[in-house]
Structure formats: C-alpha cells, structure tokens
Amino acid sequence: MTTHRTRRHLGVVTLLLLVLAAALAPTPGSAADGNWWDPTARPAPDSGIGVTGEPFTGTGADGEVRGFVDAHNHVMSNEAFGGRLICGRAFSQKGIADALRDCPEHYPDGSLAVFDFITNGGDGRHDPAGWPTFRDWPAHDSLTHQQNYYAWIERAWRGGQRVMVNDLVTNGVICSVYFFKDRSCDEMTSIRLQAKLTYDLQAYIDGMYGGPGKGWFRVVTDSAQARDVVARGKLAVVLGVETSEPFGCKQILDVAQCDRADIDAGLDELYALGVRSMFLCHKFDNALCGVRFDSGALGTAINVGQFLSTGTFWRTGKCAGPQADNPIGLASAPAAERELPPGVEVPAYAEDARCNVRGLTELGEYAVRGMMKRNMMLEIDHMSVKATGRVLDLFEAESYPGVLSSHSWMDQNWTERVYALGGFTAQYMNGSEHFVTEARRTERLRDRYGAGYGYGTDMNGVGGWPAPRGADAPDAVTYPFRSVDGGSVLDRQTTGERTWDLNTDGAAHYGLVPDWIEDIRRVGGQDVVDDLFRGAESYLDTWGASEAHRAGVNLAEGAEATASSTEWNPFTSYAPGRAVDGDRGTRWAADWSDDQWLRVDLGGTHRVGRVTLDWERAYGSAYRVELSTDGTDWRTVWSTTAGDGGLDTAVFTPSPARHVRLRFLDRGTDWGYSLYEVGVHGR
C-alpha cells in the first residue's frame, strides 16, 4: 500500500514538474583604488568577479544609452513552487555559504532530488555541496540549482549588460503536489515575496557601497529612471510577472474563476509592486487566453496536466493564417497518462490542425485594455497564435507599442507586426551557432525598423542553457577577452574552489553571460553583437513609448451614421448608428449582398489618419476607406482585398475630412457586412 501510494504521488509530481520544463555578513574593507564600481564592504568570503576596468557610463554620440538587455530572467524563482524546487538563493545576509547551498533533501548524495531526476535523467544523484567546491552545480543542464547569485549578475553587469527584466514566477499546481515545500502555494503570495526580495537585494548591494542608492543594482519603475541608471553605468532592473493563473484567472470546464474586479485589483496590486510587464497565460489555458502548445512527450504531459487542472484538454483547429502554434504533443507520456481518470484518454489531433482554438477571451481582452490603461507592457510569448493575433489587432487599433517577445516563444511570423508597433523582441539564450542563425534571419527587419536586439536567459527558469562547444571548437573563447565597449577585461570566473570556462562548462550560471556574448562575436561577427549592444536603447524606447501613450479621441463616437442598407430584425435594431455608439454589445448589419457602404459625418472637419473596424462574424474581404470634406467629392485613402475579419486597422497619411465612407466590395461570408464599432482617429 505504501509503495503504491508513493509511486502514484511520484507520477503526479513527474507530470506537473514536466509542465515547468514551463557565512559572514559584509565586513569593512576599502577598495584599494577607490573605484566607484568596487564595493567598500563586500562580504568575506565571497565570489570572484573576474573583471577589471571601469564600466562604461554616459550615452553615445547620438544621446542613446548603450548596453545589453536580458529581457527574461528569474532571479528569485527559488522562492517559487513552495520554495524547495530550485535550490540556493541569490543572496543571503549570512554570506555565500548560506546562499549557495543545496536543498536539505538533496543531502547526502541527491537521492531525493526528484526534480533533478525528472529534468536531467539518470538517478538524480549529485554532490550537493555548493560553496566552496561546486563540483556538480551550477551547470548548464542542471535545472534545480541557483544560477543568479548576485556576484554572477555583477559580472554580467561589468561585462556590458545594462537592463535586466526579473520575471516573478510561480505555479500553484506544481507547488501543491511537490514533495518538499516550506511556504504557501498561493501564487500572489509568492509574487509579493519575490518582489520584496528583489528590493531587499538592492538594499543588500547598496550596503556594500555605502548606503541607499549607491549600489549598481537599481530597481526601476519608469523608463526615464531606467535611462538615468544606465547612463550612470549601472544595471536597471525591471519587474515582470510570468505565471499560469494571474489574478486567480483559472478556468474550470471553460468557466472563468475570476471577474473584471479581480483583474482590476490584480493589475493595480502588481503595478504598486513595481511590475511593468507581464504574461497573461503560460502552459495551461486559463480564463484570459489559450496557450501555445508544447511538443512531444512533454506536450502530452502538459496536456494531461491541463485536463487535471481545468477539466479540458487542448483543442485544436486549422490555422487561419501562416502563423501556427507549436506542433502539439503526440508522443506517449505514460507516467502522466496513468494519472487520468479511468476511461479518459488524451485526444488524437489532426496534423493539419496546428492552432489552439482558444484565443483571447472577453476577460483577456479586458485585461489587455487594463494593461494599456496602466501603460504596462504585455508579453505575447506563450500565447496561442489566435490570442496573439487579437492582441496585436487591439494594439494596432490603439497605436499602442507595448508588446514584447522576450524568449523565442511566439511564432516568428509575428515579428514584423511587433516591430511595426514599436515593440521589442529578444531571443532565448541558445547556443552561439543557433543564436547567430536566428539573429541573421530577423536582421533585415531590425534594420528596417531601427530596432536593437535582446536575449532572454531564462535562468532559474527550467529551460536548459548553452552546452560547452569544447576548448578545441572553431573560434573558441580565448581568455582573457575585452568587453564589447573595450573598457574592461574579463578572465575566467572563479567562485570558491571552482573556476568556470564557457568552452568546457557551457553557460552554467549568470556570470558566464559575457563569455557567451564573446562566443557569439567569435562565431557570428561583430555586427550581431552590435545589434545586442543596442538592445537597452531599443527596450527603453518601447517602454517609454508605452508610458507616453494616451488613448486617442474616437471622432466617430456619437456621430451621425448612414448606410446603403440595414438588415431588418423584429427584435433588435441594426441601424447604422449602432456602429458608432461606443457599445460593442450593439452592431450595424447590412443586407446580404456585396456592394454596400457605411458613412459617418464627423460634424466638422478634422485631420483623419486611422480608421478601425471591429467586425462581427460577417466581415468584408475587400473594402476601401474614403474621405471627403463636403460629402460629394471622395478620395480613397486605404483599401484591401485580403480582409479576414476580427479587428482591422487602416493607417494612412492624415488629411482633412468631415465625412468618412467605408465602401464594402466583397463579403467574406454568406451573410452581409456587420460591424460592432467603427473608430476614426487623427493618427
């Protein structure tokens, strides 16, 4: 009986953990040369940094900040999932020996390192000793041990990184089933703790430099503050959130477990904590949006986990455009599938049905608009392509730039739309060859839109990191090497008795980020690294434009509207004015024939440069936008023959107009044309 129960519990843990794969206080001591970047009271003993030379400060000749941006990191995720899934801490008031030690259950030989066993194969056994030997961890393929010790982050900063997004992360379901935990599984409790500890880390580092505000680790809450931090040569730290059920917005049997009040309260609280970017869904479909699938056996396991958590499996359909979700998991995952109730099986999926049918829900759209209202940035990675398409439609309709793809989890066919909005993209911390290949693929778009590039290390994020290429690999990193700006020299990094070399150790911890960038330079050339060095400026451009955004006045709302026809219905009105009444619950509908029009009188002459059409299911596949100052002479300013419904935005050179006419030429369905709302804007 005991053996059976233990095996079953391990099966549940295996399933839900696979979802994720979604001694001293500081002592006085003056720096010998009084350099501003050297602490006056570093803990002793502590890690080496392995960098000499002054960090660059100021801005470039064009007034732009310089430096790399890590758009996706998890500094405090050891506090997530119950606090015992990822072992070790980013800092400790008791010193490095206390911070960099393994989880208690991993002693003496890793026999109970269940997560290590699941994610890294073998039997999970390892030498648990961290400080000072670090024989087995951190490592590029160990997903259970701390990679973000503060001194390793310090090395990345000294190597040229100037912006880091710290995504506060957790998963209440995984926490609830994991054997070992020492705190609540409530997601918001964990998010609050991680936010607090990020500020505590800032204070801890400040203490080494003489007091508040003097350290290099600066949590920032607006782009101007971030620019000032970077110009002073320090690291701007932005708070984000990546969790599966934000604001408690779980769905069970397709029924939302949250409402608009929960979303408003959640967004307000996160904003007050300093959070400025976030994901709305991750791994499991929730009440806000559908997710982009995982593939293979992992995908099958996550699909089973979704069923156990929500009562529904993923549902797929044919994709409406070139974008597609990841191939759904079709491989068997026996340990996971055994946890399904008797008679329940993972569905079979057609190979030509690659898209999650669940997109952005009504509550999800409310959350997106709430983020725009608060000038926050939205992460579209992990969203289904259906959800992402709607988000981009909403942002384009409002000319809102705050869209991020931080670690290679969106369909790459969205890239140009992201850049066109003024958004920012970063690539996952892949091996240098892969990273260079992908960077080259999107280089043309970055050049066209003047965008820099970023990376998302996802460290402490259970993803796996670049493996060693070998000391004899072509273009191996040669130590010591100079930083990209040329002002610092970096040698191999040493902590305790262990010295790491990217060539033979891979990207084992955060301190090897500069070494990895040097590897990219040697493999791919200076131009790839130059794009990365413009990353901080580009990210802050997106953030600043999001902050500056103000909702435009809809010149059409409440205006007089007429139409070529109106569908008759004895129970409700589909009059033309319903498309300009500011209520998405009403609509105008035309007769069921191709050639129709809807005309709006703005009541006076205005400069018009953007028109939005929020379609009901009956949409136009071919139509044009016409403007007139007198209602007699019309000029076409925009047209399409590829309309696909949803929310369309027509952008054109602003010009004077009192009258706007939409000329519908071809229908996209057997019905007529039907619009919830038409928006007319100056830009």
Side-chain angles (χ1 to χ4, degrees), residues 272-289:
L273 289 174
V275 172
R276 296 297 180 265
S277 68
M278 68 175 296
F279 295 76
L280 289 182
C281 52
H282 180 249
K283 298 302 182 185
F284 295 160
D285 292 343
N286 63 23
L288 305 177
C289 49

PDB file of all heavy atoms in Angstrom, residues 272-289:
ATOM      1  N   ALA A 272       1.502  48.522  -8.240  1.00  0.00           N
ATOM      2  CA  ALA A 272       2.005  49.112  -6.994  1.00  0.00           C
ATOM      3  C   ALA A 272       3.288  48.427  -6.528  1.00  0.00           C
ATOM      4  O   ALA A 272       4.143  49.056  -5.896  1.00  0.00           O
ATOM      5  CB  ALA A 272       0.938  49.029  -5.908  1.00  0.00           C
ATOM      6  N   LEU A 273       3.446  47.135  -6.850  1.00  0.00           N
ATOM      7  CA  LEU A 273       4.675  46.411  -6.508  1.00  0.00           C
ATOM      8  C   LEU A 273       5.843  46.829  -7.388  1.00  0.00           C
ATOM      9  O   LEU A 273       6.999  46.497  -7.089  1.00  0.00           O
ATOM     10  CB  LEU A 273       4.460  44.900  -6.648  1.00  0.00           C
ATOM     11  CG  LEU A 273       3.573  44.219  -5.603  1.00  0.00           C
ATOM     12  CD1 LEU A 273       3.341  42.761  -5.985  1.00  0.00           C
ATOM     13  CD2 LEU A 273       4.201  44.316  -4.213  1.00  0.00           C
ATOM     14  N   GLY A 274       5.558  47.523  -8.484  1.00  0.00           N
ATOM     15  CA  GLY A 274       6.608  47.937  -9.408  1.00  0.00           C
ATOM     16  C   GLY A 274       6.642  47.136 -10.688  1.00  0.00           C
ATOM     17  O   GLY A 274       7.530  47.336 -11.526  1.00  0.00           O
ATOM     18  N   VAL A 275       5.686  46.227 -10.876  1.00  0.00           N
ATOM     19  CA  VAL A 275       5.650  45.392 -12.074  1.00  0.00           C
ATOM     20  C   VAL A 275       5.229  46.244 -13.268  1.00  0.00           C
ATOM     21  O   VAL A 275       4.244  46.976 -13.201  1.00  0.00           O
ATOM     22  CB  VAL A 275       4.678  44.211 -11.886  1.00  0.00           C
ATOM     23  CG1 VAL A 275       4.476  43.449 -13.192  1.00  0.00           C
ATOM     24  CG2 VAL A 275       5.195  43.275 -10.793  1.00  0.00           C
ATOM     25  N   ARG A 276       5.979  46.108 -14.371  1.00  0.00           N
ATOM     26  CA  ARG A 276       5.667  46.896 -15.565  1.00  0.00           C
ATOM     27  C   ARG A 276       5.478  46.044 -16.820  1.00  0.00           C
ATOM     28  O   ARG A 276       5.160  46.581 -17.880  1.00  0.00           O
ATOM     29  CB  ARG A 276       6.770  47.932 -15.812  1.00  0.00           C
ATOM     30  CG  ARG A 276       6.884  48.985 -14.709  1.00  0.00           C
ATOM     31  CD  ARG A 276       5.616  49.822 -14.583  1.00  0.00           C
ATOM     32  NE  ARG A 276       5.701  50.830 -13.536  1.00  0.00           N
ATOM     33  CZ  ARG A 276       5.256  50.661 -12.297  1.00  0.00           C
ATOM     34  NH1 ARG A 276       4.678  49.506 -11.949  1.00  0.00           N
ATOM     35  NH2 ARG A 276       5.364  51.617 -11.396  1.00  0.00           N
ATOM     36  N   SER A 277       5.681  44.744 -16.729  1.00  0.00           N
ATOM     37  CA  SER A 277       5.398  43.862 -17.866  1.00  0.00           C
ATOM     38  C   SER A 277       4.921  42.528 -17.320  1.00  0.00           C
ATOM     39  O   SER A 277       5.271  42.145 -16.199  1.00  0.00           O
ATOM     40  CB  SER A 277       6.637  43.669 -18.745  1.00  0.00           C
ATOM     41  OG  SER A 277       7.639  42.922 -18.079  1.00  0.00           O
ATOM     42  N   MET A 278       4.105  41.804 -18.143  1.00  0.00           N
ATOM     43  CA  MET A 278       3.627  40.513 -17.652  1.00  0.00           C
ATOM     44  C   MET A 278       3.060  39.659 -18.780  1.00  0.00           C
ATOM     45  O   MET A 278       2.727  40.144 -19.860  1.00  0.00           O
ATOM     46  CB  MET A 278       2.575  40.696 -16.559  1.00  0.00           C
ATOM     47  CG  MET A 278       1.265  41.280 -17.013  1.00  0.00           C
ATOM     48  SD  MET A 278       0.047  41.322 -15.657  1.00  0.00           S
ATOM     49  CE  MET A 278      -0.161  39.576 -15.320  1.00  0.00           C
ATOM     50  N   PHE A 279       2.970  38.356 -18.491  1.00  0.00           N
ATOM     51  CA  PHE A 279       2.295  37.386 -19.325  1.00  0.00           C
ATOM     52  C   PHE A 279       0.864  37.228 -18.819  1.00  0.00           C
ATOM     53  O   PHE A 279       0.617  37.311 -17.612  1.00  0.00           O
ATOM     54  CB  PHE A 279       2.979  36.022 -19.233  1.00  0.00           C
ATOM     55  CG  PHE A 279       4.386  35.979 -19.765  1.00  0.00           C
ATOM     56  CD1 PHE A 279       5.445  36.516 -19.045  1.00  0.00           C
ATOM     57  CD2 PHE A 279       4.660  35.385 -20.978  1.00  0.00           C
ATOM     58  CE1 PHE A 279       6.739  36.471 -19.522  1.00  0.00           C
ATOM     59  CE2 PHE A 279       5.951  35.325 -21.475  1.00  0.00           C
ATOM     60  CZ  PHE A 279       6.995  35.873 -20.746  1.00  0.00           C
ATOM     61  N   LEU A 280      -0.058  36.922 -19.722  1.00  0.00           N
ATOM     62  CA  LEU A 280      -1.433  36.641 -19.303  1.00  0.00           C
ATOM     63  C   LEU A 280      -1.738  35.162 -19.246  1.00  0.00           C
ATOM     64  O   LEU A 280      -2.706  34.751 -18.605  1.00  0.00           O
ATOM     65  CB  LEU A 280      -2.430  37.343 -20.237  1.00  0.00           C
ATOM     66  CG  LEU A 280      -2.490  38.869 -20.116  1.00  0.00           C
ATOM     67  CD1 LEU A 280      -3.549  39.430 -21.045  1.00  0.00           C
ATOM     68  CD2 LEU A 280      -2.768  39.305 -18.678  1.00  0.00           C
ATOM     69  N   CYS A 281      -0.971  34.328 -19.948  1.00  0.00           N
ATOM     70  CA  CYS A 281      -1.157  32.871 -19.827  1.00  0.00           C
ATOM     71  C   CYS A 281       0.176  32.185 -20.047  1.00  0.00           C
ATOM     72  O   CYS A 281       1.074  32.726 -20.700  1.00  0.00           O
ATOM     73  CB  CYS A 281      -2.224  32.355 -20.792  1.00  0.00           C
ATOM     74  SG  CYS A 281      -2.027  32.834 -22.521  1.00  0.00           S
ATOM     75  N   HIS A 282       0.282  30.969 -19.498  1.00  0.00           N
ATOM     76  CA  HIS A 282       1.546  30.248 -19.525  1.00  0.00           C
ATOM     77  C   HIS A 282       1.274  28.769 -19.296  1.00  0.00           C
ATOM     78  O   HIS A 282       0.795  28.375 -18.242  1.00  0.00           O
ATOM     79  CB  HIS A 282       2.466  30.806 -18.435  1.00  0.00           C
ATOM     80  CG  HIS A 282       3.803  30.156 -18.349  1.00  0.00           C
ATOM     81  ND1 HIS A 282       4.186  29.371 -17.290  1.00  0.00           N
ATOM     82  CD2 HIS A 282       4.857  30.163 -19.205  1.00  0.00           C
ATOM     83  CE1 HIS A 282       5.410  28.929 -17.472  1.00  0.00           C
ATOM     84  NE2 HIS A 282       5.848  29.392 -18.637  1.00  0.00           N
ATOM     85  N   LYS A 283       1.526  27.948 -20.316  1.00  0.00           N
ATOM     86  CA  LYS A 283       1.413  26.483 -20.275  1.00  0.00           C
ATOM     87  C   LYS A 283      -0.020  25.970 -20.297  1.00  0.00           C
ATOM     88  O   LYS A 283      -0.364  25.166 -21.149  1.00  0.00           O
ATOM     89  CB  LYS A 283       2.179  25.900 -19.080  1.00  0.00           C
ATOM     90  CG  LYS A 283       3.671  26.164 -19.117  1.00  0.00           C
ATOM     91  CD  LYS A 283       4.326  25.618 -20.367  1.00  0.00           C
ATOM     92  CE  LYS A 283       5.824  25.829 -20.375  1.00  0.00           C
ATOM     93  NZ  LYS A 283       6.461  25.405 -21.634  1.00  0.00           N
ATOM     94  N   PHE A 284      -0.878  26.350 -19.335  1.00  0.00           N
ATOM     95  CA  PHE A 284      -2.270  25.904 -19.317  1.00  0.00           C
ATOM     96  C   PHE A 284      -3.182  27.005 -19.877  1.00  0.00           C
ATOM     97  O   PHE A 284      -2.991  28.188 -19.577  1.00  0.00           O
ATOM     98  CB  PHE A 284      -2.752  25.614 -17.889  1.00  0.00           C
ATOM     99  CG  PHE A 284      -2.059  24.466 -17.207  1.00  0.00           C
ATOM    100  CD1 PHE A 284      -2.095  24.363 -15.823  1.00  0.00           C
ATOM    101  CD2 PHE A 284      -1.386  23.491 -17.913  1.00  0.00           C
ATOM    102  CE1 PHE A 284      -1.475  23.317 -15.161  1.00  0.00           C
ATOM    103  CE2 PHE A 284      -0.759  22.444 -17.266  1.00  0.00           C
ATOM    104  CZ  PHE A 284      -0.797  22.348 -15.886  1.00  0.00           C
ATOM    105  N   ASP A 285      -4.185  26.627 -20.662  1.00  0.00           N
ATOM    106  CA  ASP A 285      -5.239  27.584 -20.997  1.00  0.00           C
ATOM    107  C   ASP A 285      -5.845  28.107 -19.702  1.00  0.00           C
ATOM    108  O   ASP A 285      -6.045  27.354 -18.737  1.00  0.00           O
ATOM    109  CB  ASP A 285      -6.355  26.908 -21.806  1.00  0.00           C
ATOM    110  CG  ASP A 285      -5.905  26.475 -23.198  1.00  0.00           C
ATOM    111  OD1 ASP A 285      -4.864  26.944 -23.673  1.00  0.00           O
ATOM    112  OD2 ASP A 285      -6.623  25.649 -23.801  1.00  0.00           O
ATOM    113  N   ASN A 286      -6.141  29.396 -19.665  1.00  0.00           N
ATOM    114  CA  ASN A 286      -6.787  29.933 -18.476  1.00  0.00           C
ATOM    115  C   ASN A 286      -7.976  30.796 -18.883  1.00  0.00           C
ATOM    116  O   ASN A 286      -8.423  30.756 -20.029  1.00  0.00           O
ATOM    117  CB  ASN A 286      -5.783  30.683 -17.592  1.00  0.00           C
ATOM    118  CG  ASN A 286      -5.173  31.915 -18.267  1.00  0.00           C
ATOM    119  OD1 ASN A 286      -5.749  32.487 -19.204  1.00  0.00           O
ATOM    120  ND2 ASN A 286      -4.005  32.331 -17.793  1.00  0.00           N
ATOM    121  N   ALA A 287      -8.504  31.558 -17.959  1.00  0.00           N
ATOM    122  CA  ALA A 287      -9.706  32.351 -18.238  1.00  0.00           C
ATOM    123  C   ALA A 287      -9.427  33.562 -19.100  1.00  0.00           C
ATOM    124  O   ALA A 287     -10.365  34.244 -19.523  1.00  0.00           O
ATOM    125  CB  ALA A 287     -10.339  32.794 -16.911  1.00  0.00           C
ATOM    126  N   LEU A 288      -8.150  33.832 -19.389  1.00  0.00           N
ATOM    127  CA  LEU A 288      -7.783  35.006 -20.172  1.00  0.00           C
ATOM    128  C   LEU A 288      -7.398  34.657 -21.600  1.00  0.00           C
ATOM    129  O   LEU A 288      -7.708  35.403 -22.523  1.00  0.00           O
ATOM    130  CB  LEU A 288      -6.629  35.747 -19.491  1.00  0.00           C
ATOM    131  CG  LEU A 288      -6.860  36.148 -18.024  1.00  0.00           C
ATOM    132  CD1 LEU A 288      -5.615  36.797 -17.459  1.00  0.00           C
ATOM    133  CD2 LEU A 288      -8.057  37.080 -17.906  1.00  0.00           C
ATOM    134  N   CYS A 289      -6.701  33.544 -21.790  1.00  0.00           N
ATOM    135  CA  CYS A 289      -6.237  33.209 -23.139  1.00  0.00           C
ATOM    136  C   CYS A 289      -5.827  31.753 -23.247  1.00  0.00           C
ATOM    137  O   CYS A 289      -5.560  31.084 -22.240  1.00  0.00           O
ATOM    138  CB  CYS A 289      -5.069  34.105 -23.562  1.00  0.00           C
ATOM    139  SG  CYS A 289      -3.718  34.286 -22.383  1.00  0.00           S
TER     140      CYS A 289
END
